[in-house]
Amino acid sequence: MANLRNQTTEYIAFSGTGTAYDPETGEPLVYAPASTHKVVNIAQADSHKEREGFKGRQHDFTFADMSEIGTVAAALTTAQCGYLLVLQCHVDYESGRLIGKGSVSLTTTQMLDILQLKRKRQTFYDFLDACLAAGIITKDGVDYYINPLYHFRGVSQNRAVIRSYTAKVKQVYREVNATDLGLMYRMLPYVHYGTNALCVNPSEANPRKIRWLNGKELAAIVGIHEKSLSRSLPRMKFGGEYILARLKFGAESDPVRYFFNPNVFYRKTTQPDDTLLAMFSVKR
């Protein structure tokens, strides 16, 4: 190959792909035909790779539409919200059908087993009837479907959504009751995009403008007394790892701030921030 250091930029641009040098500064350049290539800086490429790798694990999580969670919460009791959170872990990627092993449709008997309600059959059927009446779950023949308006897998179509990690939700349900899981469900519309904090303005881009939810406000949102919420938080954990972090500063009068564990519920399309992960790395 000829000495590219002495060639014009026009020639370099159309002579194939490789490395050349700026004729004035001597700075190394990467060149390629514009018809088949585009310039992306390394930081952009790394960020894109991370996002695609993160999104590629679609079967690890399901989406909940944050603007619709309130509609579900109004139609169901707190415990029923917990049952729904568990059941939506079984939604099919393509159709929204509730499935088990081998992509076979779930039967009501299997749902009873999944929700640990074999000895509380009426509780299960009250839940299922409430979901069917509200259109949260639909039925076609023997198949049951989760309404994709509320929970789904796949492309989020620019909706404000939050991920629920299926393996973690299932693990949580083995260690907490449906009511505690339902309390978490009712909090999901208030998870901040950038920090996983619980706040009034979850889409606020400026972290200095986050309007944090205090304990009294959070308790009011989920429909219980503040003291009841304080008693519930310590038992909201799986494998000794807490689901909600309660951050308090020095003085007793300082406000408390709450964060969700990103290993269970998370909004962003990239890996969680190291600081956020570190907050939940200490097990009791």
Side-chain angles (χ1 to χ4, degrees):
M1 181 179 290
N3 185 355
L4 294 175
R5 187 186 295 273
N6 299 321
Q7 293 176 358
T8 64
T9 359
E10 287 81 9
Y11 179 87
I12 290 171
F14 294 98
S15 61
T17 61
T19 303
Y21 300 88
D22 187 292
E24 295 184 4
T25 66
E27 181 183 9
L29 302 172
V30 176
Y31 64 87
S35 60
T36 57
H37 296 73
K38 66 178 180 179
V39 176
V40 178
N41 67 44
I42 293 172
Q44 288 175 315
D46 288 346
S47 177
H48 176 74
K49 183 179 180 180
E50 183 181 9
R51 282 197 304 273
E52 290 305 306
F54 189 67
K55 289 190 294 183
R57 299 191 298 276
Q58 292 285 10
H59 292 283
D60 291 344
F61 58 78
T62 56
F63 285 119
D65 190 309
M66 295 178 68
S67 65
E68 299 293 343
I69 292 174
T71 302
V72 176
L76 304 180
T77 67
T78 302
Q80 288 174 343
C81 288
Y83 297 140
L84 179 65
L85 189 56
V86 175
L87 206 56
Q88 57 89 43
C89 292
H90 297 268
V91 69
D92 178 55
Y93 185 87
E94 296 293 338
S95 66
R97 181 169 49 95
L98 286 170
I99 59 172
K101 293 181 179 179
S103 297
V104 177
S105 296
L106 285 180
T107 64
T108 53
T109 301
Q110 290 171 316
M111 292 182 209
L112 279 161
D113 187 46
I114 289 168
L115 298 176
Q116 303 169 28
L117 293 175
K118 282 185 173 181
R119 298 183 180 181
K120 298 181 179 179
R121 298 178 65 87
Q122 191 56 53
T123 299
F124 167 74
Y125 284 107
D126 287 345
F127 157 69
L128 185 59
D129 289 345
C131 287
L132 290 169
I136 299 165
I137 293 177
T138 59
K139 185 180 180 184
D140 183 8
V142 296
D143 296 330
Y144 290 89
Y145 297 80
I146 295 284
N147 189 332
L149 182 65
Y150 307 113
H151 295 281
F152 61 97
R153 295 185 193 266
V155 181
S156 60
Q157 299 175 334
N158 297 318
R159 291 193 272 177
V161 294
I162 185 165
R163 293 167 177 78
S164 300
Y165 289 92
T166 56
K168 298 299 184 182
V169 170
K170 292 175 183 178
Q171 184 179 357
V172 169
Y173 190 55
R174 289 195 292 269
E175 301 189 34
V176 306
N177 59 44
T179 298
D180 284 345
L181 203 56
L183 292 176
M184 299 174 211
Y185 185 89
R186 292 178 183 271
M187 297 177 193
L188 294 182
Y190 303 93
V191 178
H192 186 257
Y193 181 82
T195 64
N196 239 38
L198 290 170
C199 62
V200 173
N201 50 346
S203 296
E204 175 57 58
N206 186 343
R208 295 182 180 275
K209 294 183 179 180
I210 294 175
R211 166 64 173 85
W212 302 84
L213 284 167
N214 60 38
K216 186 176 182 179
E217 292 168 327
L218 189 58
I221 283 170
V222 299
I224 61 175
H225 193 276
E226 185 177 0
K227 290 184 178 179
S228 297
L229 179 63
S230 295
R231 288 193 297 268
S232 297
L233 292 180
R235 65 175 182 255
M236 291 182 181
K237 61 184 186 295
F238 62 100
E241 186 173 333
Y242 287 100
I243 299 167
L244 272 167
R246 184 175 178 270
L247 178 64
K248 188 171 179 62
F249 297 94
E252 186 61 32
S253 59
D254 286 339
V256 175
R257 293 174 175 177
Y258 300 90
F259 298 81
F260 257 128
N261 188 328
N263 292 315
V264 186
F265 304 110
Y266 191 58
R267 290 191 60 191
K268 293 183 75 175
T269 58
T270 57
Q271 294 288 351
D273 177 83
D274 287 346
T275 302
L276 185 59
L277 289 173
M279 287 172 59
F280 291 91
S281 66
V282 179
K283 296 183 179 182
R284 188 174 181 180

